[in-house]
Amino acid sequence: MRLRRVVPDGSAQVFVKLEYFNPTGSYKDRMAKSIIEEAERRGDLKPGMTVADASGGSTGSSLAFVCPVKGYHFIVASSNAFAMEKLRTMRSFGATVDLIHSPSGEISADLIPSMIRQAQEVSNRSDCYYSDQFNNLEALIGYEEIGHELVKTISRRHRRLLWQGF
C-alpha cells in the first residue's frame, strides 16, 4: 500500500506491506515457516517430532500455527510477563506453553535466558528439535521473501506507471 499523506508532495514514494493478512497477523509467520522448512530439508526435523523454543509471543504464535500445519507439536517456554493474548493464541493453536513465573509480572534480566534454558532442556529429548529463533539464521529466508515481494510489487507498479506515460 502506498502512503500518500505521510510524505510531502514531490518526495519519494513510500510503500508499506500489510503483513496483517498473514495467518497470525504477523510478518513472523514467514520466519517460522522458513525455520521449520529448512530444518525439514536438512533432515533435522522429521515427522512425529516436537519443536521447542522460547518466545514472548509473536514468534511463538507463528511457530504454534506453522507446526501443527506441518504435523509437529510445539512446546514453548514463555512467561506471565508477556501479553496474555499471545499466550492464549499459542495455546489455541495447540502449543504446550511452559510458563516461567515472573514475580513482578515484568521482564527481568534473567527471564529470557531462563526461558531459553527451559526450551533447550526440553529439546534435549531425541524426538525434539530446538528451533532457536534468537540465533537461527534460517529466519532470514522468511524475511528475504518479504523483500522479494516488495520489489516485485513496486517493479510491477513502476512498469504500469511507465506504460501509462507517467
Side-chain angles (χ1 to χ4, degrees):
M1 168 180 276
R2 182 175 174 199
L3 301 180
R4 296 179 188 276
R5 297 184 191 150
V6 176
V7 294
D9 288 339
S11 63
Q13 295 179 13
V14 177
F15 294 85
V16 295
K17 185 144 183 20
L18 304 177
E19 290 294 302
Y20 65 81
F21 287 118
N22 289 334
T24 72
S26 172
Y27 68 96
K28 294 200 175 185
D29 292 354
R30 296 162 188 272
M31 183 229 346
K33 181 176 176 266
S34 66
I35 286 174
I36 297 304
E37 288 181 346
E38 288 301 307
E40 289 174 326
R41 186 187 57 72
R42 277 191 322 277
D44 292 343
L45 184 56
K46 298 175 180 85
M49 289 180 71
T50 295
V51 175
D53 211 330
S55 177
S58 294
T59 299
S61 294
S62 295
L63 284 167
F65 176 80
V66 169
C67 285
V69 168
K70 304 286 272 168
Y72 308 108
H73 180 63
F74 178 56
I75 299 174
V76 60
S78 195
S79 175
N80 63 306
F82 299 102
M84 293 311 283
E85 295 79 17
K86 295 289 186 179
L87 300 175
R88 284 188 201 113
T89 298
M90 291 185 281
R91 284 188 185 109
S92 70
F93 288 139
T96 298
V97 180
D98 290 339
L99 285 181
I100 294 176
H101 183 69
S102 168
S104 67
E106 296 182 7
I107 299 170
S108 62
D110 64 331
L111 181 62
I112 304 295
S114 296
M115 291 166 44
I116 291 169
R117 280 191 302 277
Q118 174 71 16
Q120 288 171 330
E121 286 175 25
V122 168
S123 68
N124 285 334
R125 301 180 344 207
S126 63
D127 69 335
C128 199
Y129 171 73
Y130 179 49
S131 54
D132 194 11
Q133 68 150 322
F134 299 112
N135 297 299
N136 193 326
L137 295 178
E138 290 161 350
L140 298 175
I141 295 167
Y143 297 137
E144 183 180 13
E145 185 180 324
I146 295 170
H148 289 300
E149 289 175 6
L150 286 168
V151 169
K152 182 179 173 184
T153 301
I154 292 169
S155 295
R156 192 172 47 237
R157 178 170 167 55
H158 183 69
R159 281 191 307 271
R160 192 172 52 241
L161 289 172
L162 288 173
W163 182 254
Q164 295 171 351
F166 286 90

